[in-house]
Amino acid sequence: MVTAGVDLSTQRGKTAVAVVRWDGGSARVTDCFRPVDDGFVLDLVRGAAKVGVDSPLGWPDEFVRFLTDHAASTAEVRAGETGEEQRRRLTWRLTEQVVRAAGHQPLTVAADKIGHVAMRAARLLALLGAEQLPVDRAGSGVVVEVYPAASLKRWGFAHRQYKGAANTGARLALVEELCRRLPWLDLGLAADACRASDDALDAVVAALTARAAALGFGTAPTADQREQAAREGWIALPTCETGQLLAG
């Protein structure tokens, strides 16, 4: 199996990808680099069993409905609801509410700069859909939404303050811990890329999370949540230990 991870950004220079080939009791990172344009991401999806994308794949239903009503000048204020309560209701996707309840702190696509990244993701999903590739924002298709920091936390790794030049030391330590605790994972030249760039590191973690999702070791919406998740997107959090990624 081949899985891939995409640390998506609005800028091609800040977008990183990683490709992992799984073979029996080992795994090898065959590619890990940036910059990456839309065409390369599309090629990546075409050639992988599962691709983890670190970007929201949709917007909250309540937020979309509010914008539509506002554009038509038909937006209503709920009786007894304060402005703060309204903003909370509009801000969080269902999956973000679930992830927050599990102890993680995702950004909100409705009110943070990550919304710009989601616009690029939406374009990529539309292009993939036009090719009749199995795209499902809830995660059952070839693309699955991932959250690398939450994956690291679930697997017991340091998951904060490893991004940017100011946290180079922490990132170096995290890469060394990955190498020590995952001896079956051959980072190869990707090790240097991960030490130099948190974008590359997140792409590798996204590819590992994609493997978990592909094996059925990722959180998925319930039957009652499925329809909403198909519109808003769904963050797949790993439900397995790292050693179980070698299963299958």
Side-chain angles (χ1 to χ4, degrees):
M1 180 188 290
V2 173
T3 64
V6 182
D7 184 55
L8 199 65
S9 169
T10 56
Q11 307 168 39
R12 59 188 300 273
K14 284 284 292 176
T15 299
V17 300
V19 179
V20 179
R21 182 172 296 277
W22 303 84
D23 185 14
S26 64
R28 179 168 56 94
V29 181
T30 59
D31 290 291
C32 182
F33 57 86
R34 62 176 189 174
V36 178
D37 60 20
D38 287 356
F40 190 89
V41 175
L42 296 176
D43 285 341
L44 196 68
V45 175
R46 296 184 191 107
K50 201 81 168 180
V51 178
V53 178
D54 182 13
S55 168
L57 299 185
W59 282 263
D61 278 356
E62 291 274 10
F63 178 69
V64 173
R65 189 176 301 113
F66 171 77
L67 291 183
T68 301
D69 291 345
H70 177 68
S73 297
T74 58
E76 297 180 353
V77 176
R78 293 185 179 181
E81 183 179 58
T82 66
E84 182 179 355
E85 289 169 340
Q86 181 191 42
R87 288 191 294 275
R88 279 202 302 268
R89 175 170 57 83
L90 300 178
T91 294
W92 300 105
R93 295 181 294 160
L94 175 60
T95 186
E96 290 161 349
Q97 295 173 38
V98 172
V99 168
R100 282 164 59 87
H104 308 289
Q105 297 297 322
L107 298 176
T108 164
V109 65
D112 281 320
K113 290 182 179 180
I114 198 170
H116 292 273
V117 180
M119 292 177 192
R120 185 180 180 191
R123 167 184 163 81
L124 291 168
L125 292 181
L127 291 170
L128 292 168
E131 296 184 19
Q132 304 301 311
L133 288 171
V135 175
D136 172 25
R137 291 177 224 169
S140 68
V142 67
V143 172
V144 63
E145 183 178 338
V146 300
Y147 179 8
S151 292
L152 288 169
K153 181 179 180 180
R154 288 208 158 200
W155 284 326
F157 292 98
H159 62 284
R160 294 176 177 168
Q161 298 182 327
Y162 65 90
K163 297 178 180 288
N167 294 307
T168 297
R171 187 167 58 255
L172 295 177
L174 177 53
V175 174
E176 294 312 307
E177 187 181 7
L178 280 169
C179 292
R180 178 177 60 81
R181 288 182 48 193
L182 308 182
W184 44 263
L185 177 63
D186 179 7
L187 285 177
L189 296 178
D192 287 339
C194 291
R195 294 182 183 104
S197 164
D198 57 85
D199 302 322
L201 178 54
D202 279 350
V204 170
V205 177
L208 298 180
T209 309
R211 169 71 170 184
L215 295 178
F217 295 136
T219 55
T222 64
D224 291 340
Q225 297 168 330
R226 184 73 177 69
E227 184 178 350
Q228 188 171 349
R231 293 188 300 269
E232 296 185 340
W234 188 268
I235 299 168
L237 302 176
T239 60
C240 63
E241 299 299 325
T242 52
Q244 291 176 275
L245 297 177
L246 296 174

